[in-house]
């Protein structure tokens, strides 16, 4: 019965943790992922409410869609240096997660990877990563050295205003969703693409300002 599983030791030689494999294991507090595992599939640990820490070893190359979504007690995540892909919403709704570091190896991140992580104050990207970067704790996809897409804002950060860097052309889906501290956001001239519901349920947000030179978007009365 999934409700009573507290610890899991997976066998050496295992190469993949399948979709929904441990979803809704409500009592699971820890898991050891052997070095042989290369893929954590979609929803593999979805809603493991008691899971407190995860080490994703250096064998893993792919973390699937919503693989750790709604792991409410997850405070610590170590992402190994072979991971190249982090799926949509992989760590969404991990309400206890306070910080995370994305290694050099990651070249693909889906929308909303840390959406609704209410305690997340900062996202860090290793300085050698060629595709992603962090600035002021915010996760961006970059083009060369220029920040191009705002992927995820850490909604546990308590600042009240934020100006999106001028070079940014795109805001990802659900990028600011659930942010309760921000009261104002400024969008620059370069933004030409905005994903699904980037400011959904931002309860304190009273003003979104779009720079007057923006050719695609405008703001009126906030």
């Amino acid at each position: 019965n999934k409700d009573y599983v507290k610890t899991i030791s997976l066998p050496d030689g295992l190469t993949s943790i399948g979709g929904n494999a441990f979803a809704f294991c409500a009592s699971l507090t820890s898991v050891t992922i052997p070095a042989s595992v290369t893929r954590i599939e979609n929803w593999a640990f979805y809603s493991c409410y008691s899971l407190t820490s995860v080490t994703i070893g250096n064998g893993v190359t792919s973390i699937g869609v919503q693989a750790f979504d709604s792991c409410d007690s997850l405070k610590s995540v170590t992402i190994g240096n072979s991971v190249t892909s982090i799926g949509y919403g992989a760590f969404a709704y991990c309400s206890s997660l306070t910080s995370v570091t994305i290694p050099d190896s990651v070249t693909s991140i889906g929308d909303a990877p840390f959406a609704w992580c209410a305690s997340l104050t900062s996202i860090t990207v290793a300085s050698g990563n060629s595709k992603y970067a962090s600035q002021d704790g915010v996760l961006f996809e970059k083009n060369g050295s220029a920040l191009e897409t705002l992927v995820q804002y850490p909604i546990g950060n308590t600042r009240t205003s934020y100006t999106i860097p001028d070079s940014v052309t795109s805001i990802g889906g659900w990028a600011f969703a659930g942010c309760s501290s921000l009261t104002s956001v400024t969008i620059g001239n370069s933004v030409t693409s905005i994903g699904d519901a980037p400011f959904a349920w931002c309860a304190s947000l009273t003003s979104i300002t779009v720079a007057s030179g923006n050719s695609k978007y405008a703001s009126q009365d906030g």
Side-chain angles (χ1 to χ4, degrees):
N1 189 318
K2 285 187 173 185
D3 289 341
Y4 299 102
V5 175
K6 292 186 177 181
T7 62
I8 296 170
S9 263
L10 300 171
D12 290 337
L14 185 70
T15 59
S16 176
I17 299 175
N20 292 293
F22 301 104
F24 298 102
C25 285
S27 298
L28 182 66
T29 59
S30 66
V31 60
T32 300
I33 299 173
S36 57
V37 170
T38 61
R39 296 179 61 83
I40 299 173
E41 302 286 356
N42 300 347
W43 309 291
F45 294 94
Y46 181 82
S47 292
C48 289
Y49 305 122
S50 300
L51 192 63
T52 58
S53 67
V54 172
T55 297
I56 298 168
N58 291 335
V60 174
T61 61
S62 175
I63 301 171
V65 169
Q66 295 178 278
F68 295 92
D69 187 318
S70 299
C71 291
D72 292 347
S73 299
L74 190 61
K75 295 180 179 180
S76 172
V77 174
T78 301
I79 300 175
N81 58 21
S82 293
V83 171
T84 61
S85 175
I86 298 174
Y88 171 90
F91 296 93
Y93 292 96
C94 289
S95 57
S96 298
L97 190 63
T98 58
S99 64
V100 65
T101 298
I102 294 169
D104 291 348
S105 55
V106 173
T107 58
S108 175
I109 300 177
D111 275 354
F114 305 101
W116 300 96
C117 291
S119 300
L120 186 62
T121 59
S122 179
I123 301 166
T124 301
V125 179
S127 59
N129 191 297
S130 63
K131 185 79 178 283
Y132 294 94
S134 59
Q135 182 174 297
D136 299 325
V138 182
L139 175 62
F140 295 91
E141 184 176 343
K142 63 183 180 178
N143 184 359
S145 60
L147 304 177
E148 190 170 62
T149 299
L150 193 157
V151 178
Q152 188 74 72
Y153 185 90
I155 66 170
N157 193 293
T158 58
R159 64 186 147 220
T160 57
S161 64
Y162 182 68
T163 298
I164 295 171
D166 288 340
S167 62
V168 170
T169 61
S170 178
I171 301 171
W174 309 97
F176 293 85
C179 186
S180 60
S181 296
L182 284 176
T183 60
S184 65
V185 173
T186 300
I187 297 172
N189 288 331
S190 301
V191 173
T192 57
S193 174
I194 297 177
D196 293 338
F199 302 104
W201 288 279
C202 291
S204 301
L205 188 62
T206 57
S207 174
I208 300 172
T209 302
V210 179
S212 59
N214 191 296
S215 62
K216 186 164 184 181
Y217 297 101
S219 57
Q220 182 174 305
D221 301 328

